[in-house]
Amino acid sequence: MRQHFRLHSALAEIPADQWDALTGDQPTLSHAYLSTLESSGCVSPRSGWTPRHAALWEGDQLLAALPAYLKSHSYGEYVFDWAWAEAYHRHGLEYYPKWLSAIPFTPVPGARILGRDAMARHSLVGHLLETVRESGASSLHILFPTDEEATWLADAGLEIRHGVQFHWQNAGYRDFEDFLGRLAQPKRKKIRQERRKVADAGVVFRILRGTEIGAEEWAYFHACYSRTYAEHRSTPYLTRRFFEDFCVLAPEACVLMIAERAGTPVAASFFLCDRHTLYGRYWGSTEFIPCLHFEACYYQAIDYAIRQGLQRFEGGAQGEHKLSRGLEPVRTVSAHWIADPRFRDAVARFLAQERGGMEAYLDELSERLPFRPTPDPA
């Protein structure tokens, strides 16, 4: 049967079971997550995210797929190309709309080119590049793919960009104290002091998962989440409806931690979870308490990951302060194709230089890891 390539203007056009058969169990890549972004209005042409999901079909069977969007801005991406857009503008050219493959509003690394086999995935990339070229758009960007996918994309002519995130790795810790025992004494002391400040303030945590999260908890969390954006003079990307609807579809993926003092909530942090990983996503507070941010976003998360036997906790984008709290630097990648040959060459030179600087930065961060030296075996 002949294969055919198609762009879909809504993920609902693709059967959920067929999409999820290609994605594994990463929650942000699931049909439930991506389709709820669309049905809740968070992702739409009005918000600057026009779905153009790429799919390779054989009859009514999905062979390969890739989440894709036409973007009218660069917000919510976590790989910054504003300078490239400004350069286009200075030369009288239009940078937007651009093509983007990413998980909207989240920097979680993982597969982007989904498929039953390597042949289908390669074919999908070829069709997509041809479509982008014919569209007359300025560029294509694929954010936070796997290293294997980055190699394929580089072979296809895309330029590779490196970044840094901070992830905590579970080395088989028995409990949080066992984890602290792996840290150098000054770091261990600092974390204990920070946790003691929160405990002395009378703060305790209530951890809820899936169906345990009710309307009252969602309302409080979203108020905290919105307040965080307001403090940075920004607008939140996600609506309360998104969180509630997604939790109905994928309750096992949602973890909400609510900090309370004397029975009154003072902060909340939201995480996504799969069988192996806890993903730190959003937080906010309605009262300032020293060190509460570290407790709600990192220490409670690490403690939870250890108790649940999870392998990793991803702390999100940026933040060198995560290093001293036991999260380690991890290289991330993105891939970029620029249509205009002049800008393509300029971007290639810039990225080559940036990659060198990023390697030096990673080396520097690795020298500052907070762990005690492991003694050489006898």
Side-chain angles (χ1 to χ4, degrees):
M1 189 176 294
R2 185 177 178 182
Q3 297 179 4
H4 64 279
F5 173 79
R6 181 181 170 191
L7 295 175
H8 294 267
S9 59
L11 198 64
E13 297 176 2
I14 301 176
D17 59 343
Q18 293 204 51
W19 178 276
D20 288 340
L22 303 180
T23 63
D25 66 349
Q26 183 177 298
T28 55
L29 198 57
S30 69
H31 195 282
Y33 191 89
L34 295 174
S35 64
T36 303
L37 285 173
E38 296 175 17
S39 64
S40 63
C42 301
V43 163
S44 69
R46 183 176 179 180
S47 67
W49 294 77
T50 301
R52 287 291 184 270
H53 304 303
L56 185 67
W57 296 89
E58 186 175 75
D60 60 358
Q61 294 298 308
L62 184 64
L63 300 181
L66 175 142
Y69 306 88
L70 278 177
K71 288 293 303 297
S72 60
H73 53 66
S74 293
Y75 292 106
E77 299 178 14
Y78 300 93
V79 175
F80 304 110
D81 62 348
W82 294 105
W84 303 354
E86 176 60 25
Y88 258 67
H89 178 73
R90 286 199 307 268
H91 288 80
L93 301 173
E94 296 293 332
Y95 191 69
Y96 304 107
K98 65 178 185 179
W99 289 78
L100 177 78
S101 177
I103 308 300
F105 320 122
T106 183
V108 171
R112 296 293 177 265
I113 308 164
L114 315 174
R116 292 188 175 186
D117 53 46
M119 184 177 297
R121 295 165 72 190
H122 281 285
S123 179
L124 181 73
V125 170
H127 284 293
L128 178 63
L129 281 171
E130 182 181 357
T131 299
V132 173
R133 290 189 184 98
E134 292 176 351
S135 73
S138 70
S139 52
L140 165 67
H141 310 265
I142 300 179
L143 309 186
F144 304 108
T146 65
D147 289 340
E148 179 188 35
E149 290 172 335
T151 299
W152 292 357
L153 294 167
D155 291 342
L158 281 76
E159 293 293 333
I160 302 303
R161 189 175 195 180
H162 289 168
V164 176
Q165 290 186 2
F166 295 88
H167 298 174
W168 175 86
Q169 307 290 337
N170 190 346
Y173 301 116
R174 297 185 302 274
D175 51 31
F176 195 88
E177 278 299 311
D178 189 28
F179 157 65
L180 285 183
R182 277 281 290 113
L183 301 181
Q185 193 275 338
K187 305 300 183 184
R188 187 166 61 246
K189 179 180 178 182
K190 180 179 181 180
I191 290 175
R192 285 184 174 138
Q193 289 173 339
E194 290 175 343
R195 301 202 80 183
R196 190 176 303 117
K197 287 181 181 179
V198 177
D200 289 348
V203 175
V204 296
F205 277 80
R206 199 158 49 97
I207 300 177
L208 307 172
R209 188 161 184 178
T211 56
E212 298 172 337
I213 309 171
E216 183 178 349
E217 287 85 9
W218 281 126
Y220 179 72
F221 160 71
H222 199 267
C224 290
Y225 164 71
S226 299
R227 181 170 177 170
T228 297
Y229 277 81
E231 289 172 351
H232 291 86
R233 301 187 179 186
S234 186
T235 303
Y237 294 123
L238 302 176
T239 62
R240 177 179 164 185
R241 177 188 167 192
F242 164 77
F243 290 103
E244 292 182 323
D245 288 357
F246 175 66
C247 191
V248 169
L249 293 173
E252 71 287 348
C254 299
V255 179
L256 187 63
M257 301 186 184
I258 298 181
E260 297 177 335
R261 182 161 65 178
T264 300
V266 294
S269 50
F270 175 75
F271 303 81
L272 292 168
C273 189
D274 59 30
R275 290 178 298 168
H276 310 292
T277 305
L278 186 68
Y279 304 90
R281 298 276 31 96
Y282 309 106
W283 108 290
S285 65
T286 50
E287 182 178 340
F288 174 75
I289 296 173
C291 301
L292 181 55
H293 171 257
F294 302 136
E295 182 69 30
C297 295
Y298 307 126
Y299 304 145
Q300 285 291 322
I302 291 171
D303 196 358
Y304 182 83
I306 293 171
R307 286 186 284 107
Q308 295 297 315
L310 301 175
Q311 297 172 6
R312 187 168 68 252
F313 161 55
E314 293 191 5
Q318 294 132 6
E320 286 189 22
H321 61 278
K322 300 169 185 174
L323 191 70
S324 64
R325 292 167 176 88
L327 282 74
E328 302 177 48
V330 174
R331 180 190 293 104
T332 61
V333 295
S334 57
H336 308 267
W337 179 83
I338 309 295
D340 189 296
R342 298 165 299 173
F343 286 93
R344 188 188 311 153
D345 292 343
V347 166
R349 291 193 298 271
F350 165 76
L351 292 181
Q353 182 177 11
E354 185 185 56
R355 284 193 297 271
M358 192 60 64
E359 290 303 310
Y361 178 54
L362 279 164
D363 288 342
E364 177 192 341
L365 291 174
S366 296
E367 293 173 357
R368 292 160 50 193
L369 288 174
F371 302 104
R372 291 187 293 116
T374 303
D376 294 328

